[in-house]
Amino acid sequence: MLLLDTASLYFRAYFGVPDIKAEDGTPVNAVRGLLEFISRLVNDYSPTDLVCCWDNDWRPQWRVDLIPSYKAHRVVVERETAPDVEEVPDPLEVQVPIIREVLAAAGICVIGADGYEADDVIGTLATNAGMPVDVVTGDRDLFQLVDDAAGVRILYPTRGVGDPDLVDEKWVLAKYGITAAQYADFATMRGDTSDGLPGVKGVGEKTAAKLLEQYGDLEGIVAAVADPTTSLTKAQRQKFIDAVDYLAVAPQVVAVARDLPLDRTRTALPSAPADPERLHELAATYNLASPVARLEAALARV
């Protein structure tokens, strides 16, 4: 099964694919790029199942309630009764509905969950999937899902979707000095400015990894802070004492959901478009003939 962090990929396409427009002037570089990515992935990995995982709520209120700074710097409009509006370049924003239309016509499964991010959809679908799972994402937070025994790995496109880092447990250990199971605690301590997570001030990746090696997990580290007989320095103890409020809630924010009630019956990758007439109509309207033809050829190989 291939699980795609769809927004991560269409943002990458938007910034990486030259500006291309439809006949009416609508920008379509993100649409074209995403379709090319999907075709390449299908050809390279021959999945039986593929899901474009969707951000129904890119900044869930329950996470904001726990850490108000969560993704706050990306908000352009706050709304009380709907998800906040994320800062997205206008030429990309107009392409998102086209992406949804094209995926529907192609018959490619799209799954989101109200009140949750695509990460949570990915976490749920990757857990107890009953088959090997490759997650395609540029988001390091999803390294917490890596599990060799369950066959879950991350395709991390540092050099591009066609040549990703294959993130398994050995890769995580070599890169960070921790196990994949420790990654969420590691990320909690390190923090992430791109998500508005402050982390434990003064604790970087090397210190976080060393403490996890010594004490196993964040719970063990917090217990060691409270135990005057442990080998923690006075300065280290104070850093965690100062971050006590953050540490009380951050693990819930950083951990992806794994138990959402999702429909797993529609994930099979089709061998032909669900609505070829509509797909060809969209291809003609939005200058997508070449990427649509390549997608159809990739599906035909399924």
Side-chain angles (χ1 to χ4, degrees):
M1 174 183 283
L2 274 176
L3 300 177
L4 310 187
D5 183 355
T6 316
S8 173
L9 292 179
Y10 66 61
F11 266 90
R12 176 176 290 271
Y14 173 74
F15 287 107
V17 176
D19 186 27
I20 301 174
K21 291 182 170 61
E23 188 174 341
D24 66 358
T26 302
V28 293
N29 61 330
V31 187
R32 291 176 65 96
L34 179 63
L35 293 179
E36 298 286 12
F37 291 163
I38 293 173
S39 297
R40 178 68 181 267
L41 290 164
V42 170
N43 285 327
D44 287 353
Y45 297 97
S46 302
T48 59
D49 295 68
L50 185 148
V51 180
C52 283
C53 301
W54 206 263
D55 282 312
N56 278 21
D57 192 339
W58 68 280
R59 188 176 183 248
Q61 187 59 47
W62 63 269
R63 283 192 166 107
V64 176
D65 289 343
L66 293 170
I67 299 182
S69 63
Y70 184 65
K71 297 185 178 179
H73 59 294
R74 298 193 223 165
V75 176
V76 291
V77 178
E78 292 187 359
R79 298 190 293 194
E80 291 187 5
T81 58
D84 293 336
V85 178
E86 183 180 12
E87 183 178 11
V88 177
D90 290 343
L92 173 56
E93 187 173 11
V94 299
Q95 297 183 62
V96 175
I98 302 170
I99 289 170
R100 289 298 299 257
E101 280 197 87
V102 171
L103 293 176
I108 292 175
C109 181
V110 176
I111 298 180
D114 290 347
Y116 290 90
E117 302 172 54
D119 287 7
D120 302 306
V121 174
I122 291 169
T124 296
L125 293 175
T127 301
N128 300 320
M131 66 183 82
V133 176
D134 282 343
V135 177
V136 187
T137 182
D139 186 351
R140 295 181 300 172
D141 287 344
L142 289 171
F143 291 174
Q144 65 187 273
L145 297 176
V146 169
D147 185 338
D148 288 0
V152 179
R153 64 181 183 175
I154 306 295
L155 306 184
Y156 188 58
T158 52
R159 296 173 299 276
V161 169
D163 186 23
D165 286 339
L166 303 180
V167 180
D168 56 12
E169 292 188 27
K170 182 179 178 181
W171 189 99
V172 173
L173 182 62
K175 178 72 172 179
Y176 299 109
I178 58 171
T179 68
Q182 293 172 317
Y183 191 86
D185 286 346
F186 173 80
T188 297
M189 287 185 282
R190 178 194 62 201
D192 188 341
T193 55
S194 68
D195 280 342
L197 298 174
V200 178
K201 188 175 181 179
V203 174
E205 291 191 351
K206 290 184 179 180
T207 300
K210 183 177 179 180
L211 292 173
L212 287 169
E213 182 181 11
Q214 287 180 281
Y215 301 107
D217 55 22
L218 185 56
E219 185 177 347
I221 295 169
V222 171
V225 169
D227 182 354
T229 68
T230 58
S231 62
L232 289 169
T233 67
K234 182 178 179 181
Q236 286 175 326
R237 291 180 196 278
Q238 193 58 50
K239 288 171 184 175
F240 281 87
I241 290 169
D242 292 344
V244 64
D245 292 340
Y246 167 77
L247 291 173
V249 295
Q252 301 169 65
V253 174
V254 173
V256 299
R258 295 175 182 248
D259 57 356
L260 301 181
L262 302 179
D263 180 4
R264 296 174 181 255
T265 65
R266 304 179 293 109
T267 65
L269 187 65
S271 58
D275 188 344
E277 183 177 346
R278 178 57 178 157
L279 183 60
H280 295 158
E281 180 183 314
L282 290 166
T285 300
Y286 292 112
N287 189 19
L288 303 173
S290 294
V292 163
R294 281 188 280 274
L295 178 63
E296 289 182 297
L299 294 180
R301 296 178 56 190
V302 173

